[in-house]
Amino acid sequence: GMVDKSSVYWRLAAVEIALDEARLGRNDAAIAHLKALTVADPADVEAWTALGDTYRSTSKFAEAADAYSHAVSLRGDARPSDWPLYFARAVAEQGTKDWSAAEVDLKKALLLSPNEPTLLNYLGYTWVDQNRNIPEALAMLEKARSLKPTDGYIADSVGWAYYKLGRY
């Protein structure tokens, strides 16, 4: 059934409906729906985040980064549970080739959640790929591997780092 518009759950349901539209490939409808929600309530963190996710999934990285920035500013003081928002914005920023902004957000996400294998792997791999901060990158990748030893992506990153170091 429908959630009544007066219900406290209406906005969350509306965001979920838009995300379902995106999952079904109806991205333009999802984006229009989510933009309408952010216009109706500019303080809706979930709507801004979902809008960012939908833009990012369609490779509209500048729009995604902008939507995530609205969500970040609305959150105020960052909590450990906010790391995915900073990570998502970093991925969007990297999509726009703004690596310096992406790096700032990845470091912020890691400050919030220092034992998050996804973050350790992403930043470590990127540094290795750029031939930067190799010892620190390798330490991050080894830490990620110790936290999630069965993850193939992380194992691949560790191998790549050793290869780049000439440690075959």
Side-chain angles (χ1 to χ4, degrees), residues 51-71:
L51 181 59
D53 291 345
T54 306
Y55 276 134
R56 189 170 50 121
S57 72
T58 58
S59 300
K60 291 181 177 167
F61 296 117
E63 295 89 340
D66 181 65
Y68 291 134
S69 291
H70 279 89

Side-chain angles (χ1 to χ4, degrees), residues 121-144:
N121 183 55
Y122 197 93
L123 185 54
Y125 180 87
T126 305
W127 276 347
V128 169
D129 212 42
Q130 296 173 345
N131 277 311
R132 293 174 56 230
N133 309 333
I134 300 289
E136 191 181 350
L138 187 57
M140 288 173 136
L141 294 170
E142 287 288 15
K143 181 178 178 182

Side-chain angles (χ1 to χ4, degrees), residues 3 5 10 22 39 44 46 57 63 71 80 94 96 114-115 123 128 131-132 139 147-148 151 160-161 168:
V3 177
K5 204 158 182 172
W10 184 84
V39 168
D44 187 339
E46 282 78 18
S57 72
E63 295 89 340
Q94 196 169 20
T96 68
N115 295 315
L123 185 54
V128 169
N131 277 311
R132 293 174 56 230
L147 290 163
K148 208 170 176 192
D151 187 303
W160 177 235
Y168 312 119

Side-chain angles (χ1 to χ4, degrees), residues 44-160:
D44 187 339
V45 174
E46 282 78 18
W48 282 113
T49 304
L51 181 59
D53 291 345
T54 306
Y55 276 134
R56 189 170 50 121
S57 72
T58 58
S59 300
K60 291 181 177 167
F61 296 117
E63 295 89 340
D66 181 65
Y68 291 134
S69 291
H70 279 89
V72 165
S73 63
L74 289 165
R75 296 291 291 166
D77 290 337
R79 292 172 285 291
S81 61
D82 290 335
W83 76 263
L85 185 54
Y86 287 89
F87 178 57
R89 186 168 70 173
V91 172
E93 288 160 342
Q94 196 169 20
T96 68
K97 308 282 186 260
D98 188 353
W99 170 246
S100 58
E103 190 172 42
V104 168
D105 275 341
L106 287 168
K107 287 177 174 176
K108 174 75 173 184
L110 266 173
L111 273 177
L112 297 173
S113 188
N115 295 315
E116 184 51 56
T118 305
L119 295 173
L120 291 162
N121 183 55
Y122 197 93
L123 185 54
Y125 180 87
T126 305
W127 276 347
V128 169
D129 212 42
Q130 296 173 345
N131 277 311
R132 293 174 56 230
N133 309 333
I134 300 289
E136 191 181 350
L138 187 57
M140 288 173 136
L141 294 170
E142 287 288 15
K143 181 178 178 182
R145 185 166 65 167
S146 72
L147 290 163
K148 208 170 176 192
T150 58
D151 187 303
Y153 292 106
I154 293 171
D156 181 66
S157 296
V158 172
W160 177 235

